Amino acid sequence: MSTKVETSAMPQTLLYSPLMTFYTLIAAIVIGSSLLEFNELLFPPKITSISFWALLPVYVIALDGWFGVVSWSRNTPYIDRPLLRTMMVILVIQWIIILALMYFASRAHISPLSYLWGLVVLFTPSQLLRVIRIRITKRPQPLIIITTCGMLALAAAVAYTIWVFVYPPVPTAINWLFVVIAFLILVGWRVWMKVTHLWRPEEKK
């Protein structure tokens, strides 16, 4: 009599792997806890508050980024490699940065200085993630898009920092201007990537 040996099946795609389960849990914790913390700004929206307009694009990139990772992982084969685990760790770090960015955005009415430098920090792991994706998928990645948006964020942060230390106090109109610039950079980043579909050609169908 032959005995049947049962083996646990490995997930075929990254979407159904323990790594994605961990990532989804972190994303849910960040979104859930931040909504509880900043609900006074968002529900009902205080559209006259500079902090609301600083916070809004952060939620846009957080939600769009989460859906983007899910869509990408659905078409990515799961391979238990250190490179893939490293990518997930960087994704978690990116969500921690997003949570910090939400906090800085909620205090933009005091000063958007930390918020603007938070944008610069955010683009660093984003660029590193795309480099790793190139190694994993052998497909083009939107490195130019992230580099361009990151340089714009750096320019805005440096310009505002100079204004703070050279021409204090900063007028309210200037604070609004830099928050609008940050809004355009963050939303433009996601829209630009959506339009190109450079790294997910299957979405062109």
Side-chain angles (χ1 to χ4, degrees):
M1 179 182 294
S2 62
T3 59
K4 184 179 179 180
V5 179
E6 295 184 359
T7 59
S8 58
M10 294 288 289
Q12 294 183 348
T13 64
L14 179 60
L15 180 62
Y16 302 105
S17 70
L19 292 177
M20 271 302 294
T21 301
F22 177 64
Y23 166 77
T24 302
L25 177 63
I26 295 297
I29 290 173
V30 169
I31 293 294
S33 61
S34 62
L35 285 174
L36 291 174
E37 180 67 24
F38 308 124
N39 66 87
E40 291 184 359
L41 279 174
L42 298 170
F43 309 110
K46 296 183 178 180
I47 59 175
T48 58
S49 170
I50 190 172
S51 295
F52 171 79
W53 291 103
L55 194 57
L56 182 62
V58 184
Y59 277 101
V60 170
I61 65 166
L63 293 172
D64 184 67
W66 183 81
F67 285 116
V69 172
V70 170
S71 176
W72 176 77
S73 64
R74 185 180 293 114
N75 299 281
T76 301
Y78 175 73
I79 302 175
D80 190 15
R81 293 169 55 190
L83 195 61
L84 195 59
R85 293 193 291 270
T86 301
M87 188 190 76
M88 283 300 171
V89 169
I90 297 172
L91 276 171
V92 170
I93 292 173
Q94 190 173 35
W95 274 93
I96 294 172
I97 295 172
I98 288 174
L99 184 59
L101 198 56
M102 290 174 177
Y103 172 76
F104 296 143
S106 71
R107 300 175 61 84
H109 63 284
I110 301 173
S111 173
L113 182 62
S114 298
Y115 175 66
L116 292 171
W117 280 107
L119 297 188
V120 178
V121 175
L122 177 67
F123 283 106
T124 302
S126 298
Q127 191 78 311
L128 185 56
L129 280 171
R130 270 62 189 191
V131 173
I132 293 177
R133 283 189 184 184
I134 291 175
R135 296 285 303 276
I136 293 175
T137 64
K138 309 300 181 183
R139 291 179 177 177
Q141 295 291 314
L143 298 177
I144 295 178
I145 296 175
I146 299 171
T147 300
T148 302
C149 293
M151 293 304 295
L152 290 174
L154 178 61
V158 170
Y160 186 84
T161 302
I162 293 173
W163 197 302
V164 166
F165 289 101
V166 177
Y167 305 108
V170 181
T172 301
I174 297 300
N175 287 337
W176 271 102
L177 174 63
F178 277 93
V179 167
V180 170
I181 290 173
F183 184 101
L184 294 175
I185 291 173
L186 287 174
V187 175
W189 167 35
R190 303 308 302 184
V191 171
W192 192 359
M193 291 205 301
K194 288 289 184 183
V195 170
T196 59
H197 297 291
L198 184 64
W199 73 108
R200 289 202 299 269
E202 67 275 2
E203 287 194 356
K204 290 182 178 181
K205 298 179 181 180

